[in-house]
Amino acid sequence: MQLLRRCAAFLPGWYRALALLVLLAPHAWADGAGGVVARPRPWQIDLQPGYSPTMRDLIWLNDWIVTPIIVVIVALVAVLVGYALWRFNEKRNPVPSRITHNPPLEIAWTVIPALILIGMAIPSFRLVFFQNRTSDPYMTIDVTGHQWYWEYKYPGQGNLDFISSIIPANQLKPGQYRLLSVNHPLVLPVGKNIRVLQTSGDVIHSFFVPSLGMQRYAIPGQTIETWVRIDQPGTFYGECNQICGLNHHEMPIEVQAVPLPQFLAWAKLAAKEQAENGTVPPVSAVASVGTTGRAALSKVAEVTHRPVVSPGKGD
Ligand SMILES: [Cu+2]
């Protein structure tokens, strides 16, 4: 398994190679200057690249277990149907056979698919348990779905608690994306195991960030756990993917991952600002905290969204 995994890192998935051939991939996933920008792309035919251990494993499962099995089954069924059309049409086979049962064949076509399913279930369940929780979280984030916005709480960071709403299409600034950018992104540190607890204040939502391999229902009255460890700085977009009412499409998720010192500085500043005047500064407010940067910090502590990374060059 480990060897196969190593090989997989060097060999592209067969359809990713196909995408390269049709010249989609080379520019499709270009990163921004200051970090990755993970979001859906025009003409995307593959999963988004993974930036967490969970998503990398999901991609591996998709590329090396699920897709090859699907390809073999589709090819086999296509060949069998083609052969049946050719061999048993009325002209070639005027008197059809009246056999209705063939026990060995029936046992085979029951047992073989069952074995395939068991073979797929083993790595799938391992991944489900892996995704389920982390034993060693650095911090916890509480995510609450509302009609139609997300609420993020940082219980370990002075009970910082803010609302993250979509930026309307007519108010987008350069580097922001329609139906994806929000006024207050979820800011997280890079390289730390983060426990994410989801719930809802009204109906069922779903917290879904594809490039981080996070997807969990947000259900009223329940708390559902997952976790994430983000590999590198960047901006990671997602959406509520449980149809939750009229403005379901207007509750995107924007995660900004920054180095730990920057996260800690931002969390401290944000908790202070929120307690004092109810505002939450963007993470870029602490991007260049130096010995003389303190005075400048208070000036930018306004409710504005400034991306921590520049927009991708390939966009
Ligand atoms: Cu929703």
Side-chain angles (χ1 to χ4, degrees):
M1 191 75 108
Q2 195 61 33
L3 182 69
L4 202 58
R5 215 172 259 250
R6 269 192 205 144
C7 294
F10 290 101
L11 296 169
W14 67 271
Y15 51 87
R16 202 165 289 146
L18 192 70
L20 276 165
L21 282 178
V22 295
L23 299 177
L24 277 172
H27 54 270
W29 304 112
D31 292 335
V36 295
V37 178
R39 63 181 181 89
R41 307 282 172 155
W43 295 96
Q44 180 183 334
I45 58 168
D46 199 354
L47 300 173
Q48 289 186 31
Y51 295 103
S52 73
T54 308
M55 190 55 195
R56 281 198 304 277
D57 283 4
L58 281 167
I59 291 172
W60 181 85
L61 189 76
N62 176 71
D63 287 4
W64 295 92
I65 304 286
V66 179
T67 308
I69 290 173
I70 291 173
V71 169
V72 169
I73 291 174
V74 167
L76 183 71
V77 171
V79 167
L80 286 175
V81 169
Y83 177 74
L85 287 171
W86 172 78
R87 175 66 185 81
F88 300 107
N89 64 41
E90 196 181 1
K91 214 195 285 175
R92 206 175 289 270
N93 188 43
V95 186
S97 157
R98 304 190 73 85
I99 296 172
T100 56
H101 290 288
N102 184 330
L105 192 60
E106 286 167 22
I107 289 168
W109 74 40
T110 304
V111 169
I112 292 171
L115 291 176
I116 293 173
L117 287 177
I118 292 167
M120 290 171 79
I122 293 167
S124 301
F125 280 114
R126 280 180 57 176
L127 189 48
V128 167
F129 289 121
F130 178 70
Q131 188 180 26
N132 201 29
R133 66 188 49 176
T134 172
S135 57
D136 180 29
Y138 172 75
M139 59 184 274
T140 299
I141 295 290
D142 291 337
V143 173
T144 308
H146 296 274
Q147 285 177 314
W148 289 274
Y149 54 88
W150 293 99
E151 179 184 0
Y152 302 127
K153 293 180 204 154
Y154 295 69
Q157 274 70 33
N159 286 324
L160 181 62
D161 178 350
F162 60 86
I163 278 164
S164 178
S165 304
I166 189 170
I167 296 176
N170 59 5
Q171 294 171 27
L172 290 173
K173 294 176 190 144
Q176 296 179 334
Y177 301 109
R178 191 178 76 90
L179 297 180
L180 288 177
S181 291
V182 301
N183 60 352
H184 295 298
L186 174 63
V187 180
L188 295 176
V190 165
K192 292 286 177 191
N193 291 355
I194 298 159
R195 180 196 283 140
V196 184
L197 302 176
Q198 284 107 153
T199 189
S200 169
D202 37 51
V203 301
I204 300 176
H205 301 274
S206 180
F207 189 72
F208 175 46
V209 187
S211 58
L212 300 179
M214 265 201 291
Q215 178 174 8
R216 276 290 187 274
Y217 286 118
I219 300 174
Q222 286 191 25
T223 300
I224 297 181
E225 180 173 344
T226 187
W227 71 284
V228 67
R229 186 174 72 236
I230 305 171
D231 294 339
Q232 51 183 292
T235 309
F236 307 87
Y237 292 98
E239 289 168 349
C240 172
N241 72 342
Q242 175 68 33
I243 295 179
C244 58
L246 183 65
N247 293 331
H248 158 63
H249 62 289
E250 290 193 354
M251 47 186 302
I253 297 150
E254 180 176 343
V255 180
Q256 289 189 340
V258 295
L260 184 63
Q262 189 181 352
F263 168 78
L264 292 173
W266 170 82
K268 202 171 163 190
L269 177 71
K272 181 169 162 280
E273 291 290 332
Q274 190 172 53
E276 283 174 5
N277 54 30
T279 60
V280 176
V283 73
S284 55
V286 291
S288 54
V289 183
T291 47
T292 58
R294 277 283 156 200
L297 280 184
S298 56
K299 286 188 190 161
V300 289
E302 54 185 347
V303 188
T304 54
H305 166 66
R306 262 179 260 166
V308 68
V309 295
S310 6
K313 279 180 182 158
D315 293 330

